[in-house]
Amino acid sequence: MAFDSLGEFLAMGRHGLYVWLAYGVSVGSVVALVVAIRARNANIWQRLDEEESD
Amino acid sequence: MNGLKTLWHRLGSPRWFYQMMKPWQTGLGFVALVALLVGTVWGLAFAPEDYQQGNSFRIIYVHVPMVVLAQSAYMMLGSAGFVLLVWRMKMADVAMVAIVPVGMTVTAIGLFSGAVWGRPTWGTWWEWTDARLVSTLVLLFLYVGLYALREAIPRAESAGRACAVLAVVGLINIPIIKYSVEWWTTLHQGATFTATRMSMPIEMAAPLIVNIIGAYCLFGYLVLLNMRTELLRRERDTKWVGALRTEVIDGV
């Protein structure tokens, strides 16, 4: 570990705001992208099933 | 040569591609998840602090993989556009549709994380006179433009060709991004490492390499899933999709 305590880890020296802002937005965007692309796939399957039952 | 030719023809077959890429998609998705978790935790908590920049340098573990991927993704997009224009291969159009949203998101993350790192390091979020920053913003506009162009043209075939032309022309921007830090002396630092030289101790570089590998695998997973989804949509009236549907129903 590069840090002595959880508090120090969260504080990131004096750069906590920048580090956690960059990571938060990045991870959030990647998760949103994965969810959106998976949802598009699920949506196509649902449409195919609906056409099947017509 | 013969084997290559067969592979080329098979890659153009929607049904073959849909089935053969399933295990690749799953495998890449799994490796991406593991690598990105390991690289990110390692970079955030275990890599040593930078003696000049302090802990803000940890932002490079998201920034560098994202901007590297943003450029690679665009090169693939441009190549797909070229293949579509020259050989009229439909699979290349499917690849373009699949890459654009991924490349756009990745470029946006790269720009954002770079700005947040620049604030404590350079004292500014953004600098219009920096060629690296501006050419990367142009890359984002190219992705957004390609997305908008496809939405704007109703006929799928015309939309595909228009996007292919724009994608190929936009390739000019890639060497500009790459050499911007050498051609113009600006704020942005030079490359952290190239194939032969590394300007960073290994304890700092290792998590970065892990995250770069993870980012490429994530890209592979997302593009394959997106391509397979697009194939299902385009081929929904064909026999093979019909067969796939009954398979799924039987399987449940």
Side-chain angles (χ1 to χ4, degrees):
Chain A
M1 277 290 269
F3 301 94
D4 294 329
S5 68
L6 183 67
E8 273 183 38
F9 173 66
L10 293 176
M12 286 281 159
R14 48 187 208 292
H15 292 137
L17 172 69
Y18 302 109
V19 172
W20 296 117
L21 179 64
Y23 274 84
V25 170
S26 304
V27 172
S29 309
V30 167
V31 169
L33 178 70
V34 173
V35 168
I37 288 177
R38 289 177 67 105
R40 183 164 175 261
N41 184 273
N43 188 26
I44 296 283
W45 276 111
Q46 202 185 343
R47 281 218 308 242
L48 287 176
D49 286 345
E50 279 163 13
E51 280 170 28
E52 181 86 343
S53 54
D54 284 342
Chain B
M1 242 358 251
N2 233 340
L4 263 181
K5 221 173 164 184
T6 322
L7 181 68
W8 180 255
H9 282 286
R10 280 188 173 163
L11 274 177
S13 150
R15 183 179 161 208
W16 185 87
F17 188 94
Y18 186 89
Q19 286 171 340
M20 292 311 284
M21 290 303 145
K22 178 80 198 283
W24 284 95
Q25 179 197 310
T26 314
L28 286 168
F30 180 74
V31 176
L33 188 66
V34 173
L36 290 174
L37 272 176
V38 169
T40 302
V41 171
W42 191 353
L44 270 176
F46 295 93
E49 191 179 321
D50 186 271
Y51 78 99
Q52 277 182 321
Q53 296 177 18
N55 285 307
S56 67
F57 105 93
R58 292 179 199 282
I59 293 172
I60 66 158
Y61 299 115
V62 289
H63 175 70
V64 173
M66 291 296 115
V67 291
V68 166
L69 184 57
Q71 295 167 53
S72 301
Y74 195 88
M75 284 192 268
M76 289 184 229
L77 191 59
S79 312
F82 183 79
V83 169
L84 182 70
L85 290 176
V86 175
W87 291 287
R88 306 269 167 102
M89 191 184 187
K90 282 184 185 150
M91 196 59 75
D93 193 42
V94 173
M96 292 210 312
V97 172
I99 294 171
V100 168
V102 183
M104 189 160 66
T105 311
V106 159
T107 311
I109 296 173
L111 282 168
F112 182 81
S113 57
V116 173
W117 174 82
R119 179 65 205 157
T121 313
W122 298 332
T124 180
W125 303 95
W126 185 260
E127 183 54 60
W128 283 107
T129 55
D130 186 284
R132 174 58 71 82
L133 270 57
V134 174
S135 54
T136 306
L137 185 65
V138 170
L139 184 68
L140 179 65
F141 289 162
L142 278 168
Y143 279 121
V144 174
L146 281 162
Y147 189 84
L149 189 60
R150 192 174 290 273
E151 296 294 306
I153 302 174
R155 231 180 107 242
E157 206 176 317
S158 322
R161 301 202 58 194
C163 286
V165 172
L166 177 59
V168 170
V169 172
L171 279 173
I172 297 169
N173 192 40
I174 295 296
I176 296 180
I177 298 177
K178 182 162 167 42
Y179 293 109
S180 57
V181 285
E182 293 170 26
W183 291 343
W184 299 283
T185 316
T186 42
L187 268 182
H188 200 287
Q189 66 200 67
T192 304
F193 48 69
T194 60
T196 51
R197 179 192 57 84
M198 195 153 67
S199 63
M200 198 184 237
I202 188 71
E203 311 90 86
M204 276 185 178
L208 184 56
I209 293 165
V210 173
N211 261 359
I212 291 174
I213 294 169
Y216 274 97
C217 291
L218 179 71
F219 177 77
Y221 164 77
L222 288 174
V223 169
L224 286 178
L225 174 60
N226 221 359
M227 281 181 78
R228 293 172 73 247
T229 305
E230 180 68 10
L231 282 175
L232 277 183
R233 192 183 70 79
R234 291 190 183 192
E235 303 264 314
R236 62 184 148 211
D237 297 327
T238 60
K239 249 196 247 166
W240 73 269
V241 175
L244 217 59
R245 262 190 294 186
T246 45
E247 240 172 69
V248 169
I249 292 162
D250 289 346
V252 172

